[in-house]
Structures are given as C-alpha cells and as structure tokens.
Amino acid sequence: MPPDIPPQATPASAPASPPAEARQTALALLAGRPQATLTTLVAASADDAVPVGGWPYPSLVLVAMDGTGRPLLLLSELALHTRNLRQDGRAALLFEDTAGLENPLTGPRLSVMGRAAPLAGEEAEAARAVYLDRHPGAALYADFPDFRFWRMDIAQAHLVAGFGRIHWLSAADLTV
C-alpha cells in the first residue's frame, strides 16, 4: 500500500499559519464552488485501465461541505473514480474560480488533498440532507442502489490565489 499523507503535513518552508486573507479565499472557494475536479489513482484491477494502473485520473464531481468543512461526494459504484477510491482512498479535489478571466492563471484555485471514505448509517443520512440541499437535482439518483455518499478527510491543501500568492493550508485552517 502506498504511503499515507501525514495529517496536516506542510513543507518545511511553509509558515506556521497562512495569512487570514489566504484562509478566507480558501474557505470561499470551498463554500462557493458546487463542483470540483476529483483526482484518484487508477486501480490496478480496473480491467479497462491496466496499462495506466497507479496513474492519476481526474473527473468532474459535484461537492457539498459538511458542517465542519469536509467535502461530501455522491458517487456511483459503477464509476472508475469510485473503483479507484475503493482500492486507495487518497484523493485530491481541485476547486477553482477562473471562469470569465482573460487569464485564468490569475484566478484563485485550491487543491485539497486527503482520504475519502464511504459513509453509512446516520453519517450517510446526514450527508444526504446536506448534499441534496446543495444539489437538489441529485435527488433523482441519490437513492439508486449503486450510489453512496463519501466524505473526504482533509490532510492539507494548496492555495494559489493568483501570481505569487501561494499558501499551504492545514486541515485545521479549513475547519469552519
């Protein structure tokens, strides 16, 4: 099994805590963007992906945030990204707000890294309520037998708020 990301790990050169503006920008991206790019590691057992087993695989997902700022996902067991997460829960979500900018590289984006796991019981019911409040259209398929609610426990995040405005954030920095 690949090594884990240590909780709240940051590079040695990172400041102890990011500036308040960086934290506010990151929290605004998490709260304001209903979708993100989910990146998982291709499962070696994926029949249609044997040549790229272990490689990063990006896909578009809808996201809601739980009461403490952890991302919630509604994923189908039929999707490649779900099969990947079942083998290795490490994942990343890219939130960005660059639409309409002449140069998208000047806009803010946040890469959130952590470990995703399926929810069950009361946790799944709580996630369902929050998720469907954010994405009411998902009620059409949320109860299909192959769909499950997942939650990402954040290990760390990397914020690029524009040229030269780059910060590492811990899970604690993103707790609401």
Side-chain angles (χ1 to χ4, degrees):
M1 174 153 236
D4 228 350
I5 300 171
Q8 302 179 7
T10 56
S13 61
S17 62
E21 178 184 332
R23 183 176 183 271
Q24 289 171 341
T25 299
L27 290 173
L29 282 168
L30 290 174
R33 304 306 304 160
Q35 76 281 332
T37 301
L38 169 67
T39 304
T40 58
L41 299 173
V42 176
S45 62
D47 295 335
D48 53 349
V50 173
V52 292
W55 287 60
Y57 173 77
S59 55
L60 183 64
V61 293
L62 297 179
V63 182
M65 305 306 288
D66 76 3
T68 63
R70 293 176 294 180
L72 298 171
L73 309 167
L74 177 58
L75 304 176
S76 169
E77 294 292 331
L78 304 175
L80 179 58
H81 53 238
T82 307
R83 288 186 283 160
N84 295 341
L85 288 171
R86 290 261 181 221
Q87 182 168 312
D88 186 335
R90 291 177 300 159
L93 289 165
L94 173 64
F95 296 86
E96 54 90 12
D97 191 15
T98 61
L101 296 177
E102 184 176 327
N103 182 350
L105 296 178
T106 63
R109 54 249 188 227
L110 179 70
S111 297
V112 177
M113 295 155 276
R115 188 168 287 281
L119 300 175
E122 291 179 13
E123 286 186 319
E125 287 303 313
R128 183 183 196 284
V130 170
Y131 191 91
L132 293 181
D133 184 54
R134 180 74 188 262
H135 303 287
L140 295 172
Y141 53 87
D143 294 322
F144 286 5
D146 63 300
F147 276 83
R148 305 276 179 280
F149 287 96
W150 289 66
R151 180 178 57 219
M152 176 185 275
D153 288 321
I154 298 171
Q156 62 185 27
H158 189 248
L159 173 69
V160 179
F163 288 119
R165 297 186 351 232
I166 301 167
H167 303 280
W168 283 98
L169 295 104
S170 69
D173 293 328
L174 300 176
T175 301
V176 291

